């Protein structure tokens, strides 16, 4: 049974006459044990979408969806309190900036035990044991000493491990990782990635991995969803999506990877900008920057075409002949 | 923390020296004859004048006089009041508990009302409650407190008759002085009604004096809370499923109180200035009233000594609050 | 990424495409703030009172009408139609004294702030630009002055130079001085490393020109806001000194002194003390609202 089912998720801000549309018509499915990669550049709406799922957006945000179900339960029908009860226990999140996710005034142990108490309760000694156990699970050396440490005394990688420990403290079944490695050193990134993968497999969690880093996503995800300007542009399984992208935007993202530009004089960057969030044209949102755009693309918006696990939003999806020889990313 | 401590102490010394210089200069900046100013005697015979000059050390060069002044001050000798002949330090010590009691009650009032008001305003941002709190806060620090006190006296004392107009306790009570704090002494005396009388005398002046700190604290707490509530770790705490009250009180407020503590420290200094006005309005026998009377009487030893003592107190309290801030802020606490 | 961090704030709207002059942009933000506009209106009225006091006031503020002592205001029983707001303990018209009090208080505020601003900015510019031991000395003195509570310092100054209207101005100016020194110096330190300053130096501008023509205009906005708010503080401090009897001496119509002078009559003639206090409150409130409005309107971050 699917863990998460979302249809036509839309998130808007600002005045109704001229709304800022952060996410538009997004469909998401995730099964337990599956890893979905959510890929896109800044402003594509990937973080907003995940925050909307958790119900953590500001009250001014207008969230609507035809279907928003977790484990069969309709999230939109839940009261605020019931919704809150899911956080940490069923759905958890790991944030991009590890230090910013920790309260600077309390020690690691305090925050871990507080979270554990909220989810499991029990005497303090037991909570302490559980906290130590969590720290071991996230591979933090010398956990007893770390319990007393304050966030500013921890390195980036260590803080992110603590962040992950806090996220899994409630034994959530769906974990959303929003750019978990972006703020970390390259050497640490690989460790955190491996950690996430291991935890996901051990606990059979559904994992939504949000990132702009295609290489990272290709290592971890089973499926990838490509977002642009709040809309889904393409979705497909790994490695098929990377070997044979069908949407020009996906292809452009792949082409811009440094790995594919070895020997080239310049990186192939994509010209132009994402359209303004409060002035979205009625055309294909990518058409201003698309090298293959035709007249129809500038006039109409394409709908998503294709079976559930391999969709594309394009009037003229790329066929083999048009693609540059790429192969899967190194 | 040790580095922080040392740096703060290092800043303290020049401030104290600066104050003594300022106060010392005060006497010599007064137009007229310093001998007359210090002794209160006018039109003296030359021998008398020479005698007094010697006694006050005014025949020495200025730097020597300054050192003499500081030397005496450190030992507690700040001269004698012209009006009463009593040592200035003793007069100050007699009256200081009254000012202390008033200021402490005022600050307590400001903290107990101001901080929750600021928190509520932040949580209910841009609602009538928020505007209400901010409006009252603006009115609070735009008001001359002697007028505010006047209005309260008019309403509560004159119109309703609930509170007395002046003094610390009703005339019929005279509890023996143990601490100098009327509330405590009245309680200790065991006399029926004494404590209640002391309390009713304290209420209005404390509210008046505490109004401006309250207004400032409400504003600062609100803005500090708003800033903290926008931080990532608050959102992360919510994402972990922590109860809303816990997120707000344990996490947000705790962090917001750090900058608010700085404001509290600044307000302590402002309290002393306000105390001068409040004491004069309510005839509260504290340091402020004593100082102003001395200025009118040209009792310069009192003026000089009183200002020095008040200034030293303010600098000392600010220093303590600074240290507290260093302890409360975990980054500073754990620094080398 | 800012666009994704939307949990606590919505993104701003795209800016208007048509260019707007800074003056219009300023006015737009300022006029949207109703409190600020109210403050401006009241401030203008008060300034008018102060300027045209002799024409506006029905009587002289000093003339004593022995037959009309402690008359209540027009809306109460027993009032005298000659005196709309009643009279004080020696029979002087309260309305006229309030109007002339506006002249006194606003004039006092203006002079104090101007003095303080002029010297403060000068010292701040010199300290910030020149650095070295002169800077350290100025800052240490400023620190000591700021460490003292404002009223205490003002009282100390008045204790030395004696109570009078002029000395009140000087005392209040001294109280505000270190704040302007600090503010200017901080801005100078910030600006002097900027490119436009370095460019001017390369172009050959001397230190004086750099300080006054290049750096100073960029400090203008925070200084204006501080000056407006400082104006209301000056009025409050001056009124406090007047209340303590350390300001303008009788028979001058100073609001604080008027309030203190009639305290003993509070039970029978409440208006004589209350109305001057109300005048102080309204004036300070108006300039505080104005200052807050200016600060919000001049803050570049709020402008699109």
């Amino acid at each position: 049974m699917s863990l998460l089912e979302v249809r036509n998720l839309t998130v808007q801000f600002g005045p109704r006459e001229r709304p800022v549309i952060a996410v538009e018509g997004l469909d998401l499915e995730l099964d337990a044990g599956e890893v979905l990669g959510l890929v896109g550049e800044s402003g594509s709406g990937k973080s907003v979408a995940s925050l909307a799922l958790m119900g953590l957006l500001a009250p001014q945000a207008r969230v609507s969806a035809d279907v928003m179900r977790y484990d069969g339960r309709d999230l939109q029908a839940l009261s605020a309190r019931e919704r809150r009860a899911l956080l940490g226990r069923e759905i958890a999140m790991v944030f991009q900036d590890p230090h910013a996710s920790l309260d600077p005034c309390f020690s690691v142990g305090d925050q871990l035990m507080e979270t554990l108490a909220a989810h499991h309760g029990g005497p303090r000694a037991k909570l302490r044991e559980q906290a130590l156990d969590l720290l071991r699970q996230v591979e933090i050396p010398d956990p007893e000493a770390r319990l007393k440490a304050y966030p500013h005394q921890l390195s980036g990688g260590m803080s992110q491990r603590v962040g992950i420990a806090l996220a899994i403290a409630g034994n959530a079944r769906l974990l959303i990782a929003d750019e978990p490695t972006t703020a970390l050193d390259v050497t640490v990134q690989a460790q955190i990635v491996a950690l996430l993968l291991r935890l996901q497999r051990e606990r059979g969690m559904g994992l939504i991995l949000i990132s702009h880093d295609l290489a990272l996503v290709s290592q971890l995800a089973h499926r990838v969803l490509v977002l642009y300007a709040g809309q889904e542009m393409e979705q497909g399984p790994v490695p098929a999506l990377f070997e044979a992208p069908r949407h020009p935007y996906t292809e452009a993202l792949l082409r811009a990877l440094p790995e594919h530009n070895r020997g080239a004089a310049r990186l192939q960057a994509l010209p132009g900008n994402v359209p303004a969030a409060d002035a979205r044209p009625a055309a294909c949102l990518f058409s201003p920057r698309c090298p293959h755009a035709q007249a129809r693309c500038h006039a109409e918006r394409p709908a998503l075409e294709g079976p559930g696990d391999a969709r594309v939003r394009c009037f003229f999806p790329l066929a083999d002949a048009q693609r540059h020889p790429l192969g899967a990313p190194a | 923390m040790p580095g922080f401590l040392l740096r703060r102490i290092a800043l303290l010394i020049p401030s104290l020296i600066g104050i003594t210089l300022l106060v010392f200069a005060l006497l010599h900046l007064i137009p007229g004859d310093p001998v007359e100013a210090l002794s209160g005697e006018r039109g003296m015979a030359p021998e008398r004048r020479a005698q007094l000059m010697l006694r006050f050390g005014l025949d020495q060069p200025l730097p020597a006089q300054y050192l003499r002044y500081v030397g005496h001050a450190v030992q507690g000798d700040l001269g004698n009041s012209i009006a009463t002949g009593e040592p200035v330090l003793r007069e100050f010590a007699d009256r200081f508990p009254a000012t202390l009691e008033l200021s402490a009650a005022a600050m307590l009032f400001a903290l107990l009302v101001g901080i929750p008001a600021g928190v509520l305003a932040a949580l209910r941002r841009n609602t009538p409650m928020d505007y209400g709190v901010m409006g009252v806060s603006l009115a609070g620090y735009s008001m001359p407190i002697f007028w505010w006190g006047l209005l309260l006296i008019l309403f509560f004392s004159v119109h309703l008759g609930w509170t007395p107009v002046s003094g610390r306790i009703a005339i019929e009570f005279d509890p023996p002085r143990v601490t100098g704090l009327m509330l405590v002494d009245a309680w200790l005396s065991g006399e029926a009604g004494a404590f209640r009388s002391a309390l009713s005398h304290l209420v209005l002046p404390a509210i008046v004096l505490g109004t401006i700190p309250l207004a400032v604290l409400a504003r600062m707490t609100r803005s500090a809370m708003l800033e903290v509530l926008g931080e990532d770790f608050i959102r992360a705490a919510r994402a972990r499923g922590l109860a809303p009250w816990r997120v707000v009180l344990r996490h947000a407020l705790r962090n917001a109180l750090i900058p608010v503590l700085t404001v509290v420290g600044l307000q302590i200094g402002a309290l002393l200035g306000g105390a001068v006005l409040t004491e004069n309005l309510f005839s509260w026998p504290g340091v402020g009233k004593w100082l102003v009377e001395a200025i009118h009487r040209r009792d310069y030893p009192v003026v000089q000594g009183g200002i020095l003592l008040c200034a030293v107190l303010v600098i000392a309290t600010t220093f303590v609050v600074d240290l507290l801030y260093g302890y409360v802020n975990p980054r500073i606490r754990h620094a080398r | 990424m800012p666009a994704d961090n939307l949990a606590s704030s919505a993104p701003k709207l795209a800016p208007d495409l048509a260019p707007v002059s800074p003056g219009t942009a300023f006015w737009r933000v300022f006029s949207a703030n109703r409190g600020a506009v109210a403050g401006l209106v009241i401030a203008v009225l008060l300034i008018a009172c102060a300027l045209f006091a002799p024409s506006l006031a029905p009587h002289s503020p000093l003339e004593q009408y022995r037959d009309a002592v402690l008359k209540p205001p027009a809306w109460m029983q027993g009032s005298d139609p000659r005196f709309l707001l009643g009279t004080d303990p020696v029979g002087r018209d309260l309305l006229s004294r309030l109007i002339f009090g506006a002249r006194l208080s606003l004039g006092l505020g203006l002079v104090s702030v101007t003095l303080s601003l002029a010297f403060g900015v000068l010292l701040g510019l010199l300290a910030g630009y020149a650095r070295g031991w002169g800077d350290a000395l100025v800052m240490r003195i400023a620190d000591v002055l700021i460490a003292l509570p404002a009223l205490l310092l003002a009282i100390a100054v008045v204790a030395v130079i004696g109570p009078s209207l002029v000395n009140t101005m000087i005392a209040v100016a001294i109280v505000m001085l270190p704040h302007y020194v600090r503010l200017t110096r901080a801005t100078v330190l910030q600006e002097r490393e900027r490119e436009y300053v370095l460019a001017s130096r390369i172009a050959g501008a001397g230190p004086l020109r750099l300080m006054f023509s290049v750096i100073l205009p960029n400090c203008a906005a925070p200084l204006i806001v501080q000056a407006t708010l400082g104006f209301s503080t000056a009025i409050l401090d001056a009124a406090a000194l007047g209340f303590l009897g350390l300001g303008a001496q009788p028979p001058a119509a100073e609001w604080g002194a008027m309030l203190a002078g009639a305290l003993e009559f509070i039970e029978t003639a409440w208006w004589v003390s209350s109305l001057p206090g109300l005048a102080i409150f309204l004036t300070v409130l108006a300039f505080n609202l104005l200052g807050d409005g200016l600060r919000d309107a001049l803050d570049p971050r709020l402008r699109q």
Side-chain angles (χ1 to χ4, degrees), chain A residues 79-90:
Chain A
S79 71
R81 178 178 256 202
E82 287 167 330
R83 197 81 189 267
R84 269 202 306 269
L86 289 177
L87 295 177
R89 287 201 193 91
E90 297 286 344

Side-chain angles (χ1 to χ4, degrees), chain A residues 100 103-104 114-115 119 150, chain B residues 233 240 246 250-251 255 330 334:
Chain A
D103 185 335
E114 178 188 35
T115 308
H119 293 306
Y150 279 79
Chain B
F233 68 84
R240 295 205 284 278
R246 200 166 246 272
R250 193 171 132 96
H251 290 279
N255 277 271
H334 295 128

Side-chain angles (χ1 to χ4, degrees), chain B residues 172-319:
Chain B
E172 54 258 34
F173 299 110
D174 188 15
R177 186 194 164 102
V178 176
T179 60
L181 302 171
M182 192 55 76
L183 277 182
V184 177
D185 291 347
W187 180 269
L188 289 175
S189 80
E191 266 186 86
F195 182 78
R196 195 175 159 180
S197 173
L199 192 63
S200 74
H201 277 79
L202 183 59
V203 160
L204 227 48
I207 290 179
V208 169
L209 182 57
T211 298
I212 292 187
L214 190 155
V216 173
L217 278 172
R219 212 168 230 232
M220 279 308 301
T221 308
R222 174 189 183 269
S223 78
M225 278 295 283
L226 283 176
E227 191 164 330
V228 171
L229 285 171
E231 297 265 356
D232 280 346
F233 68 84
I234 294 293
R235 188 179 57 182
R238 289 203 184 110
R240 295 205 284 278
L242 295 179
W245 67 263
R246 200 166 246 272
V247 174
V248 167
L249 289 178
R250 193 171 132 96
H251 290 279
L253 185 58
R254 171 77 177 75
N255 277 271
L257 282 180
I258 297 177
V260 169
L261 187 60
T262 317
V263 174
V264 170
L266 290 171
Q267 286 304 305
I268 291 181
L271 265 183
L272 199 62
V276 171
L277 294 170
T278 315
E279 288 177 13
N280 274 271
L281 181 67
F282 286 94
S283 296
W284 188 268
V287 164
K289 186 155 180 288
W290 174 66
L291 202 57
V292 173
E293 281 167 357
I295 295 179
H296 283 298
R297 282 192 318 247
R298 310 240 184 300
D299 194 341
Y300 286 113
V302 170
V303 174
Q304 203 182 18
I307 290 182
L308 179 67
L309 287 165
C310 288
V312 166
L313 266 168
V314 170
I315 291 179
T317 344
T318 322
F319 176 71

Side-chain angles (χ1 to χ4, degrees), chain A residues 13 15 20 42-43 45-48 51 56-58 179 278, chain C residues 1 3-16:
Chain A
F13 295 93
V20 174
S42 299
K46 40 193 208 297
S47 290
V48 175
L51 287 170
L56 284 177
L57 288 174
E179 307 267 11
D278 62 340
Chain C
M1 282 162 264
D4 292 344
N5 186 8
L6 289 165
S8 45
S9 66
K12 305 261 187 289
L13 290 181
D16 244 12

Side-chain angles (χ1 to χ4, degrees), chain A residues 86-105:
Chain A
L86 289 177
L87 295 177
R89 287 201 193 91
E90 297 286 344
I91 313 178
M93 196 157 181
V94 175
F95 295 88
Q96 175 176 343
D97 183 353
H99 274 122
S101 306
L102 298 171
D103 185 335
C105 284

Side-chain angles (χ1 to χ4, degrees), chain B residues 70-83:
Chain B
V70 173
H72 280 245
V74 167
Q75 293 174 51
D77 178 8
L78 289 163
N80 292 10
S81 160
I82 293 176

